[in-house]
Amino acid sequence: MRIVLLGAPGSGKGTQAKKLQDDKGVPHISTGDMLRAAVAAGTEFGAKAKAIMDAGELVSDDVMLGIIRERLAEPDAADGFILDGFPRTEQQAQDLEDLLADVGAPLDRAILMNVDFSVLMKRLTGRRTCSKTGKLLNVYYSSQDELDAVTAAGGELVQREDDNEDTISNRLNVYRAQTEPVIGYYEAKGTLAAVEAEGSIDEVYDRLLAAIG
Ligand code: AP5
C-alpha cells in the first residue's frame, strides 16, 4: 500500500492515517509530525520551521523533498506507506513521482478527504493531543469519557500552537492557493479517489477502506 492522503487542514488525514497504520501495519508518515519533532528537538532547522508553521506558511519544497527522501529510504517504508501532509504543492507532487519512479514503486492512490470548509475551524480549534500517547482528540467531538481517560492516565490535553484562529485562517488560504492544485495533478494521472470525510470517524474510515480497494 503506497498512498497519499490529501485534504485541507482538519479534514482528518492524521486521524485516519493512524487507524490505517494500526490496522494494516503500514507506516504513517506525517511531514507535520516530523517538523514538530524537529521543533521539539530544538535544532536550528526546527527554529526556522517553527516560525514558518506558526505563520501557517509552507516550508520550502527543497527542504521537504530532502526530508521525505530520507524517510522513504528507511526499511519500514519498503513495503508501503501512508503519506499525510506531503505532497502539498505541485512541485512536491512531481518530486514524489520522480523519487518513486527511481525505485520502481509508484503510488497506488491519492485519496482526497473531502470536508466542507465550514466544519474545519471547529475541528481545528477543538483539537487536542494526548501528551503521553499522541492520541488525537477533540473537545467538541470526543466523548467526555475519552477526554477524562487521558487525564486519568496522567496525560495532558495539549493544543497545537498553529491551532489558533488567525493561523488556521492562513493555513486554509495557503491550502486553497498551493495545495488544491495537487488534486488536479492526481486527477490527471488517474490515481485520485475522493472520500466523503464528514460523519463519525468510523464511518469515514469505512469509506476510506473502500476507496483504497
Ligand atoms: P500538518 O501537521 O500536516 O497540518 P495540516 O495539513 O494543517 O493538517 P492537520 O494536522 O491540521 O489536520 P488533519 O487533516 O491531519 O486532521 P486531524 O486528523 O488532526 O502541517 C502543519 C504545518 O507544517 C503546515 O502548516 C506547514 O507549515 C508545515 N508542513 C507540513 N508538511 C509540509 C509540506 N509537505 N510542505 C511544506 N510545509 C509543510 O483532525 C483534526 C481534528 O478533527 C482532530 O481533533 C480530530 O479528532 C477531529 N476529527 C477528525 N475526524 C473527525 C470526524 N470524522 N468527526 C469529528 N471530528 C473529527
Side-chain angles (χ1 to χ4, degrees):
M1 184 191 292
R2 289 184 295 275
I3 62 170
V4 160
L5 291 185
L6 289 173
S11 58
K13 303 179 298 291
T15 301
Q16 298 297 332
K18 284 184 206 309
K19 277 176 82 69
L20 208 49
Q21 169 177 256
D22 292 347
D23 255 18
K24 309 280 182 196
V26 179
H28 165 211
I29 299 178
S30 158
T31 44
D33 286 350
M34 291 164 82
L35 292 170
R36 281 183 287 279
V39 173
T43 60
E44 192 183 331
F45 166 68
K48 283 185 191 150
K50 183 178 185 328
I52 295 168
M53 293 163 85
D54 285 351
E57 298 292 330
L58 298 183
V59 174
S60 75
D61 290 336
D62 281 359
V63 169
M64 294 313 303
L65 176 62
I67 289 175
I68 215 74
R69 182 186 281 124
E70 269 186 28
R71 181 63 187 87
L72 291 182
E74 286 178 31
D76 68 333
D79 293 330
F81 50 77
I82 307 153
L83 281 180
D84 159 13
F86 187 98
R88 236 176 168 96
T89 62
E90 284 183 285
Q91 182 62 54
Q92 291 181 13
Q94 184 64 62
D95 289 342
L96 178 65
E97 188 174 336
D98 295 345
L99 192 64
L100 295 178
D102 283 349
V103 292
L107 211 59
D108 297 318
R109 284 263 205 296
I111 297 177
L112 172 65
M113 307 290 289
N114 237 336
V115 179
D116 194 285
F117 266 55
S118 61
V119 308
L120 298 175
M121 186 60 85
K122 190 170 175 185
R123 280 197 186 179
L124 290 169
T125 52
R127 172 168 51 195
R128 301 290 184 275
T129 308
C130 171
S131 59
K132 280 185 110 175
T133 62
K135 184 175 178 176
L136 286 171
L137 295 133
N138 197 290
V139 294
Y140 302 119
Y141 298 109
S142 301
S143 69
Q144 196 56 48
D145 282 354
E146 280 181 294
L147 296 167
D148 290 345
V150 169
T151 37
E156 279 178 54
L157 291 167
V158 180
Q159 185 167 25
R160 257 170 58 176
E161 289 200 27
D162 58 349
D163 278 347
N164 62 77
E165 288 196 19
D166 283 350
T167 306
I168 292 167
S169 296
N170 197 41
R171 284 161 61 200
L172 294 175
N173 289 338
V174 167
Y175 174 78
R176 282 196 183 96
Q178 299 193 55
T179 308
E180 271 185 353
V182 178
I183 300 169
Y185 180 94
Y186 287 118
E187 211 164 22
K189 302 273 171 200
T191 43
L192 187 77
V195 166
E196 182 53 54
E198 287 179 58
S200 76
I201 289 170
D202 287 342
E203 283 166 353
V204 175
Y205 187 63
D206 287 344
R207 289 182 211 130
L208 175 63
L209 288 180
I212 291 168

